[in-house]
């Protein structure tokens, strides 16, 4: 079946380094992806999203890259801080046509645990 | 705005007991969803609703019921709890025609 998956379950970095979290997807019709951050004991929190008509999108200290050819996206965090330690998920609303909506349904990957050491 | 609120934060049940997990949002969001998160796994969709009076099943609906009588509230009912339903439950909401969901703080449920 269709799935959204992550290459590495854990990632450890030093404070100040850049972090790269990867995500692979299998549904070639997927056209919208969302990255969530989940801190311990809390619900997921929206970080950034990207649509398939874009290859790159930048936010505050975060950049998401989308490679539709190999069905891969990545989340880059610049100057990683201890407060960035969390589980990061990529999520897919399910391969809808551009302008469509998931109607409240998201498929989540397993997650990558990011640990930032001071 | 309080955002998405969930009660209780923790609950312990015995097998066969019933209970309702409460979820409310004050952002006037049409879409609401329930997910469960098991250790080392991502979130899986249980049920979702696109508006008051409209609900549908997600990926793992068995053992759960939902209703949506108002825009604000979306309770999740366990009619006969089973140990396999031990999990953390998250409620989420979003605006019409958007996919950015806002999540509540979660309810940690243990079924003995």
């Amino acid at each position: 079946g269709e799935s959204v998956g992550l290459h590495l379950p854990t990632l450890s970095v030093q404070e100040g380094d850049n972090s790269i979290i990867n995500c692979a997807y299998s549904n070639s019709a997927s056209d919208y992806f969302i990255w969530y951050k989940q801190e311990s004991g809390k619900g997921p929190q929206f970080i950034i999203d990207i649509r398939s008509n874009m290859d790159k999108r930048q936010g505050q200290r975060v950049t998401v890259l989308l490679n539709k050819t190999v069905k891969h996206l990545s989340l880059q965090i610049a100057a990683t801080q201890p407060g960035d330690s969390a589980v990061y998920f990529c999520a897919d609303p399910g391969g809808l046509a551009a302008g469509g909506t998931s109607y409240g349904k998201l498929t989540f990957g397993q997650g990558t645990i990011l640990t930032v050491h001071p | 705005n309080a955002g998405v609120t969930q009660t209780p934060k923790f609950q312990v049940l015995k097998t066969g007991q019933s209970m309702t997990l409460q979820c409310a949002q004050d952002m006037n969001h049409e879409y609401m969803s329930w997910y469960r998160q098991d250790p080392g796994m991502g979130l899986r969709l249980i049920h979702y609703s696109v508006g008051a009076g409209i609900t549908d099943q997600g990926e793992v609906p068995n053992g759960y019921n939902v209703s949506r009588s108002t825009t604000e509230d979306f309770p999740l009912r366990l009619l006969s709890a089973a140990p396999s339903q031990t999990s953390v439950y998250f409620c989420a909401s979003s605006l019409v025609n958007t996919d950015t969901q806002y999540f509540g703080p979660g309810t940690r449920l243990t079924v003995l």
Side-chain angles (χ1 to χ4, degrees):
Chain A
E2 303 295 352
S3 66
V4 179
L6 289 148
H7 290 309
L8 296 173
T10 62
L11 176 65
S12 292
V13 300
Q14 291 295 126
E15 182 177 2
D17 287 351
N18 295 333
S19 303
I20 299 175
I21 300 170
N22 296 304
C23 183
Y25 62 96
S26 57
N27 185 353
S28 57
S30 295
D31 70 340
Y32 179 60
F33 300 92
I34 308 169
W35 282 97
Y36 282 91
K37 171 186 179 183
Q38 186 177 24
E39 297 176 79
S40 180
K42 296 183 179 180
Q45 180 182 13
F46 172 88
I47 302 174
I48 192 169
D49 58 2
I50 188 168
R51 294 204 176 270
S52 61
N53 59 353
M54 305 171 71
D55 296 323
K56 177 180 180 180
R57 190 171 188 198
Q58 288 184 293
Q60 188 176 15
R61 281 201 307 117
V62 295
T63 300
V64 57
L65 300 178
L66 175 62
N67 185 331
K68 295 179 286 293
T69 302
V70 296
K71 296 200 279 288
H72 177 273
L73 65 159
S74 65
L75 177 72
Q76 302 178 1
I77 304 174
T80 315
Q81 302 167 0
D84 294 325
S85 293
V87 180
Y88 289 81
F89 295 97
C90 60
D92 173 11
L96 299 165
T101 178
S102 65
Y103 300 106
K105 300 179 289 181
L106 288 174
T107 298
F108 283 81
Q110 184 180 4
T112 292
I113 302 171
L114 174 65
T115 303
V116 182
H117 301 283
Chain B
N1 287 349
V4 180
T5 58
Q6 292 183 240
T7 57
K9 288 184 68 69
F10 302 95
Q11 183 70 50
V12 179
L13 294 177
K14 295 181 180 179
T15 297
Q17 286 185 314
S18 63
M19 80 158 296
T20 299
L21 280 64
Q22 301 292 344
C23 174
Q25 53 89 12
D26 61 358
M27 298 175 283
N28 202 31
H29 286 174
E30 287 292 327
Y31 299 164
M32 296 187 74
S33 309
W34 275 102
Y35 295 85
R36 61 177 287 173
Q37 185 176 33
D38 299 309
M41 297 182 68
L43 285 76
R44 292 183 293 168
L45 181 67
I46 305 172
H47 285 285
Y48 66 101
S49 169
V50 299
I54 306 170
T55 64
D56 206 345
Q57 296 181 349
E59 179 186 357
V60 288
N62 293 340
Y64 307 96
N65 283 343
V66 292
S67 61
R68 184 98 179 269
S69 57
T70 66
T71 299
E72 294 78 18
D73 301 297
F74 191 41
L76 178 72
R77 282 184 287 275
L78 285 71
L79 297 179
S80 180
S84 61
Q85 294 178 304
T86 294
S87 188
V88 181
Y89 291 84
F90 290 100
C91 179
S93 72
S94 60
L95 285 166
V96 171
N97 292 331
T98 69
D99 292 307
T100 304
Q101 295 192 13
Y102 296 86
F103 285 83
T107 293
R108 185 174 294 275
L109 175 67
T110 301
V111 182
L112 303 175

